[in-house]
Amino acid sequence: MEKTLSIIKPDAVKKNVVGKILSRFEDAGLRIAGTKMLSLSAEQAGEFYAIHKERPFFKDLVAFMTSGPVVVSVLEGNDAVALNRKLMGATNPKEAAPGTIRADFAESIDANAVHGSDSAENAAIEIKFFFPELSKCGCSCSH
């Protein structure tokens, strides 16, 4: 059973479509193994998106992700990473296939409604970031 991380971003939370997005995951066969709503601090958002630290959009990304609450979930199922990415659609909602989350709920490439892990390896790191209690021992180690 593969796990992946999903974040419903501030723009989608503000639009009050959290339930609709979570239903799409469940309807596609993914199980919600954990979920919580929280407000990210600039430090948390910066740490989570540290891979983009040198990119020109980093500060705007941190500002956006701290602009309101987010809903973070662990999704599990067969090929959960790939299935979640298919459900989300292309990063740019103008390029997202009809019926995908981003095509239906995103406003722009920046305010694109959702984040999803891009690999099983990154999913494990991202899940541990938000749900350390779901790691094997509950600590912040790397297994």
Side-chain angles (χ1 to χ4, degrees):
M1 190 73 56
E2 189 175 69
K3 291 182 181 177
T4 190
L5 185 89
S6 168
I7 302 176
I8 301 175
K9 295 181 179 182
D11 58 314
V13 173
K14 187 182 289 186
K15 287 181 183 175
N16 203 29
V17 293
V18 171
K20 290 177 182 178
I21 293 171
L22 291 175
S23 289
R24 290 197 185 189
F25 299 143
E26 291 180 320
D27 291 346
L30 293 170
R31 187 177 86 76
I32 300 169
T35 194
K36 56 186 162 187
M37 179 180 275
L38 55 102
S39 294
L40 294 173
S41 68
E43 182 181 351
Q44 287 172 312
E47 184 180 342
F48 185 77
Y49 286 107
I51 191 169
H52 300 302
K53 193 170 191 161
E54 301 304 319
R55 299 210 175 154
F57 61 81
F58 178 73
K59 286 184 181 179
D60 289 339
L61 175 60
V62 170
F64 171 65
M65 291 301 292
T66 59
S67 68
V70 297
V71 174
V72 184
S73 301
V74 176
L75 307 174
E76 62 182 19
N78 294 328
D79 296 318
V81 172
L83 180 53
N84 182 39
R85 295 194 67 76
K86 180 180 176 184
L87 293 169
M88 288 190 310
T91 303
N92 183 345
K94 292 181 174 81
E95 298 171 2
T100 62
I101 293 167
R102 288 180 173 145
D104 292 345
F105 302 118
E107 298 171 18
S108 68
I109 197 165
D110 298 317
N112 63 8
V114 287
H115 163 90
S117 304
D118 63 1
S119 67
E121 296 77 23
N122 282 339
I125 294 166
E126 292 178 351
I127 289 167
K128 202 171 298 171
F129 185 87
F130 288 107
F131 295 91
E133 67 275 15
L134 295 180
S135 70
K136 291 180 184 174
C137 67
C139 69
S140 59
C141 63
S142 61
H143 66 266

